[in-house]
Amino acid sequence: VEVKKLFISYGDLINSLEKLRDYDQTLTALGVIKSTEESKEEAKERSESKATSIVIAESKDHQSDISRATSSRQDQLMESFKEKELEIVDTNREYDDALQDLEDLDIIPSAPEKAHNAFCVTLFCLEEAFESRAQDFLQQAFDLFPNRDYMIITQPHVVPESSLIHTFTPVKKRPHNTFNHVLYVIHRDALMTKDIYVRRAEEEDVELFAALCSELDDQDEVIKNFTSGIDDEESKYLSFSVKVQGYLIGGFVITKNVNLEYYRSHFHIEDFIILKEHDRDCHSRLVHAIINPIFFKSMRTVLKEIMRLANKTCLYFETYEGTIIPDVYQELIHVRSRRFPHFLKRKWDHERYITASNEGNQLQDGFDRDPMDEDESHFSLSFLTKKLISEPKIVNNSRIVVVGASDTGISFIETLLSTRYLHFTNITLLAPGGLNYRNCRDGKSNLKSVSTSYTNEELARLMLEAKVRVIDARMVDIDRQQKNIFLHDDSIIAYDTLVLTIGLQDEVLQRMGYSSRGIAPVPEKKEHVEGLISIDDPFLYQHFREDGTLLNLLTNRKKKGHLVIFGSNLHSFCCIQGLLERGVPAHRITLMIPEESQFEHEDTDYLDIEDDEDREFEKYLANQPAFEYDDIVQDKIEKILEEKGIEVLKNVVLEEIKPDNNNCLDHIIVSQDGQEAARYDCRILITSGPVNIDEDVFKSIHNNGLVYNGRLVVDKNFQTTDPAIFAGGKLCEFSRKYFSDNKSRAMRLDRYSGREVGWRLALSVLDFQDPVIANLDSSVASDEIPAFYKPQGKGGVLPGGLLYHHIRACRKPKPKSIKVEGFNRADIVCDNFKGNEGHYIRFTFNNHGLIESVSYLGTEEVVVNSLWGFVGLSETYLNQLTSRYEAGVIPNVVEFLSENWAIALYHDWFSDFCYKVKTSIQERPDIQAIMEKVFEKAATGSGVTREDFDHLKVLLDDSTKKTIKEETMEYIRANMNHLPMYYIPKEEFP
């Protein structure tokens, strides 16, 4: 015993045995293993004949349990490994025949003889002081079983990877696998990592390399590039071979150089590296990376050797749509794409300085790319440096299930995946209907509006499908005890952390007792009628697909199909445009605008922030009119509808829905302007009315004891009453216990940017998932909820092909004095429409001169990110726009904002520049004196008028003005690749 204590802690051993017992009980409950007792002789005989486990134990009481569990688990794990071998290595018919009719795990057929090629580690304990020597056990274990090539081990998802696991390869689960452990496998040859060596490829390697990549679709191109990189001086490639004891196990192809200027102007590579510290020739692109899967865990070692031999410090990898993501991708860091500063999507009005041609450097990879093409790159970029390759990522196997592909859910996942020292292997996104950019690639064919937080191009470059598991399904229930969620098709998904980021849904049909066409199975106490569709139906785009039943009904001249859209929000108008774009005749579309009484518009942003009774404004639903009470835009769109022949009925109340004998929609009963109800024939009804929580989601929340008070209640860390369930987005509100400490902040999260909420939500989850910060003391934390600053937005393509965007500051309560006295600044409204073409823009301001909102309507496409950048800026940034426009000097505000002087406002680092200037001057005496006067004005509630600004500018010291000027010059100088239209003395043109 004393000797054994030197190798293993007795307490750790007992804990391990208890976990092993719980594990066996779980498998027995699931029916994976049998519970019948085996005799000691049978257990002994099986142990001796198969010899498939390593067990270290000193308690005789547990010995028989361990033996039974070992042999039973071995059969199951061997079967799992056999399936993995089928998936990766070959498609042998023996395996297919054995699994073809498998339905019951209790009667698993005997595996083919060659499948008996693995043994399983069922228990491994080691003192922390000796963890660095864990891998020494592997060779000894394989020596005990010379006729086995593979070693298998499993562990729970929430357990961090031990030092022993680092050399194992995790096996990807099948879609319907409910096994609650992670399966790892290692081949005996993987222990030869010390024998791996990398060298420049030679001619003799080509044939062996061709065999290694024989299963690739682009095999010919890969072999061609590998061959040209061997000794062809005219080639832009370098080829490397990876060998073990003389055998070729991998081949890599990199470029000799890259178009670094293109990368710098199109991607945020400077967020990770300081370019001046890397020689120009030390950048390369990884073209092909092929290695025997057995040695995948040695990938970092191989890459490090390649970079050393090629004298490279940065390695890039480009990913295009349709690119098959290689295994090496998980070692790389994703780089955000950059955009060129524009207001309207048009080329700069700037005469470029013509530089020397790149034709003399055709060996440079991407030599024909123009760094100043003013377009976003059509590929995604990832990279790795020598420093980063020496910092292995911490693997997190926790099962994180995100329900809802809203802005909050997408931002949450993006934040987790961008944590460069963590690698999340098991994130699942529940996205009913799929990701939106897959459904609507062209804005003109939109059937509903979007939030504009993410563009379709931005979503595509995130490549979520390649990094997380995306499931097209709806959640209908939650099992908190077993940590499972149930889907509409009776599937079950297990979770360790559940994140609810579901949005609010149109509730017109729910209130009337009906379900939408794409909701299956039909919820209890709801009726399904063919032709009833909610605008938030997850399969809306599939319903109106080309050659679909509904579209044929509306476009077939021989059929009298008619469609009614019931709603007045922005979705309704975008839906009309999408239907027209799909060829639906305008005379077959009717827009019914409900009575105002059917909506609970949120028009009470004004309150006494010291009076809790005025918190009643929080009870208003998140229902806003389509154009935010902008009558000019409303009139323009209604005029276009009238010209196209679309019938518009206002002040309509939907009374009844009447199906025919085949349970298809026949007509509806409506009343208008308080008159007697009348029949209106239609075969399709699309509702786009008030929004509220989905009933299935509500039942899942309520039946599981989660607190719901009009919204799902969360604490300041976005946790519900269940510590394993987090939530964020429009579905949620902060607990009322935070009211007293946060009187100036709204509690409901639908008043904030979903993208910013998702980022905050991810930080809260990381506090529990990140081992670096999980153990930090949070006892001094206050009851202050997170502060949100980013604006909210919505937009879409309207009838006539007009593009509409509305961006406004996050909705915060304002003093009642503003409602009584009004704002101290008039809006800027510029309408340059001629017929149905032109531009319309509106700026609104708060009482301190900050831009509160901006609306754009026009036929020319605008850069949405530039509109977002306006909100929160002082009107002084607009180059005296207010006075010039009022004086008639500027007839077209949109064109004025597209001129060269304003391009710096739209640069993606402009906000950083503003923050830098603010921090550099805020402690100066003259600035402090100005701020005191501003605070006095703010205390009275009158704000700072434009006349006040003129008086305050006089107080600025000359040295402060000089500092601002120098910072501005430095900002432009550092970004001349995106701001070539500005002249900086003694600076060459880019």
Side-chain angles (χ1 to χ4, degrees):
V1 175
E2 295 301 324
V3 175
K4 289 186 177 181
K5 286 183 178 179
L6 297 176
F7 295 93
I8 185 170
S9 167
Y10 183 76
D12 289 343
L13 175 62
I14 297 302
N15 290 335
S16 300
L17 293 174
E18 290 177 352
K19 290 181 180 179
L20 183 61
R21 181 192 60 196
D22 295 339
Y23 168 63
D24 288 338
Q25 292 175 350
T26 301
L27 290 183
T28 302
L30 293 175
V32 176
I33 62 176
K34 297 180 181 179
S35 60
T36 57
E37 294 290 328
E38 291 184 346
S39 65
K40 294 184 178 180
E41 291 76 12
E42 291 174 336
K44 181 178 180 181
E45 181 181 354
R46 178 175 297 184
S47 177
E48 292 175 352
S49 61
K50 295 189 175 181
T52 57
S53 62
I54 302 174
V55 179
I56 303 175
E58 78 182 281
S59 174
K60 295 183 179 179
D61 295 336
H62 294 282
Q63 194 67 278
S64 59
D65 293 338
I66 294 173
S67 298
R68 291 196 305 272
T70 296
S71 56
S72 300
R73 276 196 306 276
Q74 179 242 337
D75 293 337
Q76 175 63 23
L77 294 173
M78 289 274 288
E79 194 69 18
S80 299
F81 175 76
K82 184 189 70 174
E83 294 180 6
K84 183 63 181 177
E85 185 180 54
L86 270 169
E87 182 179 342
I88 296 179
V89 181
D90 61 32
T91 56
N92 195 299
R93 289 298 305 173
E94 296 179 55
Y95 297 95
D96 294 339
D97 294 339
L99 299 175
Q100 184 175 8
D101 300 322
L102 179 62
E103 295 181 356
D104 189 353
L105 294 178
D106 290 334
I107 53 174
I108 296 177
S110 299
E113 182 58 33
K114 65 179 181 180
H116 296 276
N117 195 26
F119 64 94
C120 175
V121 177
T122 58
L123 182 64
F124 178 79
C125 301
L126 187 65
E127 287 284 1
E128 185 176 356
F130 299 96
E131 278 194 353
S132 61
R133 304 300 301 273
Q135 297 181 19
D136 295 348
F137 286 88
L138 298 179
Q139 187 61 57
Q140 298 297 322
F142 276 109
D143 289 344
L144 290 175
F145 309 106
N147 61 335
R148 299 289 191 258
D149 289 332
Y150 295 94
M151 182 191 301
I152 292 173
I153 190 171
T154 69
Q155 71 173 25
H157 287 83
V158 295
V159 175
E161 287 191 351
S162 65
S163 54
L164 179 72
I165 300 295
H166 289 168
T167 54
F168 283 71
T169 301
V171 180
K172 187 178 180 180
K173 284 188 175 183
R174 292 182 179 275
H176 300 290
N177 190 328
T178 58
F179 188 51
N180 59 359
H181 278 213
V182 184
L183 175 64
Y184 295 89
V185 63
I186 186 173
H187 191 278
R188 62 167 60 246
D189 290 345
L191 302 181
M192 296 189 294
T193 53
K194 60 181 181 299
D195 298 325
I196 293 179
Y197 67 96
V198 183
R199 60 165 172 79
R200 284 291 307 275
E202 300 176 357
E203 291 292 342
E204 63 184 26
D205 300 330
V206 175
E207 185 176 352
L208 297 174
F209 180 76
L212 195 63
C213 59
S214 59
E215 299 297 326
L216 299 179
D217 294 335
D218 55 348
Q219 175 189 7
D220 295 337
E221 181 183 358
V222 174
I223 296 175
K224 177 183 176 181
N225 294 338
F226 183 81
T227 305
S228 67
I230 294 178
D231 55 8
D232 186 358
E233 295 183 357
E234 299 299 322
S235 173
K236 59 182 179 181
Y237 300 122
L238 293 174
S239 300
F240 294 87
S241 296
V242 185
K243 292 197 169 187
V244 170
Q245 296 183 358
Y247 295 97
L248 185 74
I249 64 167
F252 289 72
V253 180
I254 66 173
T255 60
K256 295 178 180 178
N257 209 330
V258 298
N259 190 339
L260 187 60
E261 288 72 25
Y262 183 88
Y263 284 164
R264 180 174 177 265
S265 62
H266 287 73
F267 297 95
H268 286 277
I269 59 175
E270 290 177 282
D271 288 353
F272 301 94
I273 59 176
I274 302 175
L275 286 178
K276 64 181 181 181
E277 294 184 357
H278 297 262
D279 291 341
R280 177 62 184 80
D281 295 332
C282 290
H283 299 263
S284 179
R285 178 171 71 91
L286 180 63
V287 183
H288 304 297
I290 299 173
I291 194 170
N292 190 314
I294 292 174
F295 299 95
F296 169 72
K297 280 294 186 173
S298 302
M299 183 68 75
R300 282 181 171 260
T301 302
V302 172
L303 292 177
K304 190 182 299 183
E305 277 297 288
I306 291 175
M307 295 174 73
R308 181 185 66 83
L309 294 173
N311 191 28
K312 304 297 182 182
T313 59
C314 296
L315 199 60
Y316 302 88
F317 182 75
E318 298 176 1
T319 308
Y320 298 81
E321 184 175 3
T323 298
I324 298 177
I325 306 300
D327 291 333
V328 69
Y329 187 81
Q330 71 181 49
E331 306 290 349
L332 307 176
I333 306 296
H334 178 74
V335 186
R336 291 184 300 118
S337 176
R338 293 186 67 182
R339 57 179 176 81
F340 282 79
H342 294 92
F343 184 63
L344 295 173
K345 284 193 175 181
R346 59 171 69 160
K347 295 292 185 180
W348 292 324
D349 183 16
H350 165 68
E351 184 177 352
R352 289 184 55 181
Y353 175 71
I354 306 301
T355 59
S357 175
N358 277 331
E359 293 182 359
N361 190 20
Q362 294 190 11
L363 294 182
Q364 182 187 83
D365 181 54
F367 74 93
D368 54 343
R369 293 172 177 167
D370 183 7
M372 302 288 289
D373 60 5
E374 302 182 38
D375 296 321
E376 290 191 60
S377 178
H378 57 285
F379 61 85
S380 300
L381 186 70
S382 303
F383 89 114
L384 196 63
T385 66
K386 272 191 172 182
K387 178 182 178 182
L388 292 174
I389 207 172
S390 300
E391 301 174 357
K393 295 182 179 181
I394 301 173
V395 177
N396 188 311
N397 291 317
S398 296
R399 294 167 295 183
I400 301 175
V401 178
V402 182
V403 182
S406 61
D407 290 340
T408 303
I410 299 296
S411 177
F412 170 81
I413 295 176
E414 179 188 16
T415 305
L416 291 188
L417 295 178
S418 62
T419 307
R420 65 183 189 182
Y421 60 87
L422 291 177
H423 176 49
F424 290 91
T425 63
N426 211 333
I427 299 178
T428 300
L429 173 62
L430 215 62
L435 297 178
N436 186 59
Y437 80 96
R438 293 289 189 188
N439 297 323
C440 181
R441 294 181 177 271
D442 179 16
K444 290 185 178 181
S445 61
N446 59 194
L447 288 172
K448 56 190 302 186
S449 62
V450 294
S451 68
T452 71
S453 293
Y454 287 95
T455 63
N456 282 349
E457 295 77 16
E458 193 174 2
L459 283 175
R461 282 191 292 268
L462 287 178
M463 300 187 302
L464 289 181
E465 290 100 332
K467 301 175 183 178
V468 304
R469 179 186 174 195
V470 180
I471 300 178
D472 183 359
R474 295 186 303 109
M475 181 188 75
V476 295
D477 202 359
I478 302 173
D479 184 349
R480 287 177 54 189
Q481 284 68 34
Q482 298 298 326
K483 289 191 174 181
N484 292 325
I485 64 172
F486 298 90
L487 308 184
H488 73 279
D489 58 358
D490 295 329
S491 300
I492 298 175
I493 299 179
Y495 68 86
D496 298 308
T497 300
L498 179 63
V499 182
L500 303 177
T501 59
I502 310 163
L504 302 176
Q505 310 293 318
D506 162 49
E507 66 168 357
V508 173
L509 293 180
Q510 286 187 158
R511 284 184 175 182
M512 300 184 70
Y514 295 93
S515 67
S516 184
R517 187 175 191 256
I519 304 301
V522 179
E524 294 182 8
K525 299 181 181 180
K526 292 291 183 289
E527 183 180 351
H528 173 80
V529 174
E530 178 64 23
L532 293 183
I533 301 175
S534 167
I535 197 69
D536 291 315
D537 190 304
F539 305 105
L540 177 67
Y541 284 91
Q542 285 88 330
H543 296 329
F544 291 97
R545 65 188 181 276
E546 189 175 351
D547 295 330
T549 304
L550 297 184
L551 212 55
N552 287 336
L553 178 64
L554 295 172
T555 57
N556 194 326
R557 295 182 179 179
K558 296 181 180 181
K559 298 180 180 179
K560 299 181 179 180
H562 197 85
L563 178 143
V564 171
I565 298 177
F566 180 78
S568 65
N569 55 27
L570 191 58
H571 290 321
S572 306
F573 295 94
C574 291
C575 187
I576 293 175
Q577 164 62 23
L579 294 172
L580 294 175
E581 188 70 16
R582 286 165 171 78
V584 178
H587 68 272
R588 292 192 173 187
I589 302 175
T590 297
L591 174 64
M592 293 186 177
I593 299 178
E595 282 186 343
E596 287 294 322
S597 60
Q598 292 189 267
F599 287 85
E600 297 180 79
H601 288 318
E602 197 171 320
D603 58 358
T604 52
D605 276 348
Y606 311 97
L607 71 159
D608 183 354
I609 61 177
E610 299 298 330
D611 187 358
D612 282 351
E613 292 183 0
D614 276 332
R615 286 286 176 180
E616 290 297 314
F617 84 101
E618 291 280 7
K619 294 184 179 180
Y620 281 86
L621 299 177
N623 295 299
Q624 292 296 317
F627 309 112
E628 302 290 329
Y629 303 104
D630 193 327
D631 294 334
I632 297 178
V633 177
Q634 183 87 27
D635 293 341
K636 288 182 182 296
I637 300 304
E638 290 183 1
K639 180 182 177 181
I640 292 175
L641 295 179
E642 182 181 355
E643 292 174 352
K644 289 184 175 295
I646 296 175
E647 183 180 15
V648 179
L649 304 178
K650 296 185 178 181
N651 300 321
V652 176
V653 177
L654 180 60
E655 303 284 358
E656 292 183 69
I657 295 173
K658 296 291 186 179
D660 60 16
N661 295 331
N662 297 320
N663 202 35
C664 296
L665 179 63
D666 184 70
H667 64 275
I668 58 177
I669 305 298
V670 298
S671 60
Q672 186 180 9
D673 294 325
Q675 297 179 3
E676 185 178 351
R679 168 179 174 146
Y680 197 94
D681 292 333
C682 64
R683 301 304 302 275
I684 301 174
L685 172 65
I686 300 177
T687 60
S688 181
V691 295
N692 207 337
I693 185 173
D694 178 78
E695 286 194 2
D696 285 334
V697 176
F698 172 75
K699 291 177 181 178
S700 301
I701 292 172
H702 183 267
N703 294 340
N704 282 277
L706 303 180
V707 179
Y708 186 86
N709 183 29
R711 293 289 185 270
L712 177 59
V713 177
V714 297
D715 64 13
K716 59 186 177 63
N717 295 317
F718 299 94
Q719 273 185 305
T720 63
T721 51
D722 186 332
I725 301 179
F726 292 77
K730 296 182 178 180
L731 176 70
C732 308
E733 71 174 12
F734 289 116
S735 173
R736 297 181 66 88
K737 69 180 181 180
Y738 302 116
F739 280 179
S740 59
D741 294 330
N742 302 273
K743 290 185 177 295
S744 62
R745 298 178 186 175
M747 294 291 107
R748 289 203 168 172
L749 297 183
D750 57 17
R751 303 172 73 86
Y752 303 117
S753 165
R755 187 165 185 173
E756 187 178 16
V757 171
W759 170 68
R760 288 281 187 178
L761 174 60
L763 296 183
S764 296
V765 173
L766 283 174
D767 287 341
F768 299 90
Q769 296 286 346
D770 188 349
V772 177
I773 61 177
N775 296 322
L776 296 181
D777 182 18
S778 59
S779 58
V780 297
S782 67
D783 281 339
E784 184 177 3
I785 63 175
F788 299 96
Y789 305 98
K790 289 188 177 181
Q792 295 176 292
K794 63 179 180 180
V797 183
L798 304 177
L802 298 181
L803 295 105
Y804 175 77
H805 297 285
H806 176 79
I807 315 295
R808 64 164 295 162
C810 60
R811 302 174 188 271
K812 297 180 179 179
K814 306 177 183 68
K816 282 185 176 178
S817 58
I818 294 179
K819 186 175 184 179
V820 176
E821 302 174 7
F823 290 100
N824 58 18
R825 286 168 173 77
D827 298 344
I828 295 179
V829 181
C830 180
D831 185 358
N832 296 104
F833 263 85
K834 295 180 179 179
N836 292 332
E837 295 185 358
H839 306 112
Y840 168 85
I841 195 167
R842 175 190 289 268
F843 286 97
T844 65
F845 306 91
N846 66 14
N847 276 0
H848 302 292
L850 302 181
I851 298 175
E852 183 81 2
S853 70
V854 55
S855 300
Y856 172 82
L857 178 72
T859 52
E860 191 170 1
E861 194 168 358
V862 69
V863 178
V864 180
N865 298 83
S866 298
L867 292 177
W868 280 73
F870 278 129
V871 177
L873 282 183
S874 171
E875 63 177 335
T876 56
Y877 282 98
L878 301 183
N879 198 7
Q880 301 179 351
L881 172 62
T882 305
S883 58
R884 291 181 178 184
Y885 180 69
E886 291 175 351
V889 178
I890 300 174
N892 191 322
V893 172
V894 173
E895 293 292 343
F896 177 69
L897 294 174
S898 300
E899 295 177 359
N900 288 341
W901 73 267
I903 299 300
L905 298 176
Y906 316 130
H907 194 277
D908 44 16
W909 291 344
F910 181 72
S911 59
D912 295 336
F913 157 71
C914 295
Y915 178 78
K916 184 178 180 181
V917 172
K918 182 178 70 174
T919 54
S920 64
I921 65 174
Q922 63 183 2
E923 300 298 331
R924 293 175 178 264
D926 55 332
I927 299 298
Q928 291 293 319
I930 293 175
M931 293 304 298
E932 289 181 6
K933 294 183 178 295
V934 171
F935 290 149
E936 292 175 1
K937 290 280 186 179
T940 62
S942 60
V944 182
T945 64
R946 288 165 180 159
E947 293 75 17
D948 293 333
F949 265 108
D950 293 335
H951 295 125
L952 292 174
K953 285 192 295 185
V954 180
L955 302 178
L956 276 177
D957 190 74
D958 289 340
S959 61
T960 301
K961 295 179 181 179
K962 181 179 179 181
T963 299
I964 297 174
K965 178 180 178 180
E966 291 175 350
E967 292 287 357
T968 304
M969 298 283 280
E970 179 60 30
Y971 161 68
I972 296 176
R973 184 182 293 110
N975 296 285
M976 286 294 287
N977 62 335
H978 278 194
L979 303 173
M981 65 289 299
Y982 295 93
Y983 172 69
I984 301 295
K986 300 181 181 180
E987 290 288 334
E988 297 290 338
F989 288 99

